[in-house]
Amino acid sequence: MSVRRVVPIAMRLSWLVLIALAVGEFVTDLPGPGWATTFLPALVVLALMAATMSLQARAAEPRGEPGPPVEVAPPVTGRWTALNSPADKVPSHGTHAYGQTYAIDIVAEPETAEGEAPGRPGAGPATRPAFRLFWPVVRRNRAFPAFDAPLFAVADATVVVASDGQRDHLSRNSLPALACLMLAEAPVRSIVGAHRIIGNHVILDLGERTYAVYAHLRRGSLRVRAGERVRAGQEIGCVGNSGNTTEPHLHFHLMDGPDLDAARGVPFTWRGVGVPANGETFTVVEPEERAGRRTGKQSGQRAGRRAEEQAEQPVEGRATES
């Protein structure tokens, strides 16, 4: 078994041991002094955890000079803004783990004059809610224009992984919610594995040892399954808020293998867009022939889901579910 496979396993085991020690201290009367049965082992586990996380990141670092960026089509249509872009720094998300050296996050920024969400005329909010210090603590996903926006295959490809069974949680775009995400949720997701970090996702095999990752998709939105061939521009799912996220958005990156724990990042560029920098807004026009197909049954299904959600009449800021 390679180091790149052993390291994440060791990291998860170290978290489990640390949690077990903490629970054991409060639930049972462990023999011996507390410093020997809990405190000292906890320090050892913390040191192991730090070492394994460092090794994991180092194992995923690119070897040698990066190759030329792989040009693919944009995975979205409409008006979007880039965050955590590799155009500003590499690794873009502060780590090479999970093959995300050159990853990018994008959030929808629809034209306020038209009041339309990207790729969905007449649907969704016209503006993206700003980050708040304290209130509302959380927001429903439909408050964000990116939520339920369609995603498209960036090239002709084969679906390697298609997973959309995880729930879409409430936003974490306030100070208390963000602290909960970083200090509690993220460590737990790391224990379980990469699939809990990236949430519902699709991995496409583009050929020539290049794989495209779409992360944080909406639960139940996938239109493809593993082993299926897709065409460039084919709708494969929708933006959601699953996994380790603060709000509905798309996380996209290319990597050199299908295994998130073993792959290294591959540079990309979007045809007609390039690699937008942090805060840069870009627009992708939907081809007329594809726009024509997004009527009838597909539009009706999406409108029906939106109507069902609105009928719930939730109260903003109350974390009744996550």
Side-chain angles (χ1 to χ4, degrees):
M1 185 177 291
S2 68
V3 173
R4 287 197 293 179
R5 293 183 181 275
V6 172
V7 166
I9 294 174
M11 182 182 67
R12 291 164 196 158
L13 288 176
S14 67
W15 271 108
L16 292 174
V17 171
L18 180 59
I19 293 173
L21 288 171
V23 172
E25 178 66 19
F26 287 100
V27 176
T28 65
D29 185 15
L30 298 176
W35 66 267
T37 58
T38 303
F39 183 69
L40 183 59
L43 288 179
V44 173
V45 171
L46 284 172
L48 175 62
M49 181 185 65
T52 53
M53 291 178 66
S54 176
L55 286 173
Q56 181 188 41
R58 289 174 57 187
E61 289 181 2
R63 296 294 184 262
E65 292 296 322
V70 176
E71 184 180 72
V72 294
V76 295
T77 59
R79 190 168 180 265
W80 298 76
T81 296
L83 303 173
N84 302 316
S85 171
D88 294 273
K89 69 172 184 177
V90 175
S92 57
H93 285 57
T95 179
H96 298 285
Y98 310 135
Q100 60 181 335
T101 300
Y102 305 99
I104 192 170
D105 295 329
I106 57 174
V107 292
E109 299 283 3
E111 295 284 358
T112 55
E114 298 179 2
E116 294 180 354
R120 296 168 296 146
T127 59
R128 172 177 163 239
F131 183 88
R132 300 294 185 184
L133 287 179
F134 298 107
W135 192 263
V137 177
V138 295
R139 294 180 186 269
R140 296 289 183 179
N141 289 315
R142 64 171 172 267
F144 297 84
F147 188 68
D148 204 30
L151 298 172
F152 306 98
V154 296
D156 294 342
T158 300
V159 181
V160 178
V161 177
S163 173
D164 70 347
Q166 300 180 47
R167 64 185 174 82
D168 294 281
H169 56 69
L170 299 172
S171 75
R172 305 291 192 258
N173 64 334
S174 71
L175 196 58
L178 181 61
C180 178
L181 173 68
M182 301 303 295
L183 300 178
E185 292 183 51
V188 172
R189 294 181 189 279
S190 296
I191 295 172
V192 180
H195 68 287
R196 287 294 176 179
I197 294 290
I198 68 173
N200 299 321
H201 61 285
V202 171
I203 300 178
L204 302 181
D205 181 356
L206 310 185
E208 299 183 354
R209 291 179 55 82
T210 303
Y211 296 78
V213 179
Y214 300 68
H216 312 310
L217 276 60
R218 178 173 180 166
R219 184 177 188 175
S221 71
L222 291 189
R223 298 177 178 273
V224 296
R225 57 186 177 183
E228 183 179 339
R229 285 288 299 175
V230 295
R231 304 180 311 277
Q234 178 179 333
E235 185 172 344
I236 61 176
C238 296
V239 174
N241 195 31
S242 57
N244 205 57
T245 64
T246 57
E247 67 177 82
H249 73 283
L250 172 66
H251 169 108
F252 176 88
H253 70 263
L254 299 184
M255 56 188 188
D256 65 0
D259 187 345
L260 289 161
D261 285 325
R264 293 188 174 96
V266 172
F268 76 91
T269 182
W270 285 330
R271 191 172 301 117
V273 175
V275 183
N278 286 342
E280 181 180 343
T281 298
F282 62 96
T283 300
V284 180
V285 178
E286 186 171 16
E288 291 183 4
E289 62 272 16
R290 189 166 68 194
R293 292 199 300 268
R294 293 184 51 74
T295 57
K297 183 177 180 180
Q298 292 183 12
S299 299
Q301 289 175 339
R302 198 163 278 118
R305 289 201 301 268
R306 183 73 61 179
E308 290 175 2
E309 290 177 342
Q310 292 175 343
E312 295 176 4
Q313 296 295 324
V315 177
E316 266 191 4
R318 186 177 66 186
T320 55
E321 60 180 290
S322 61

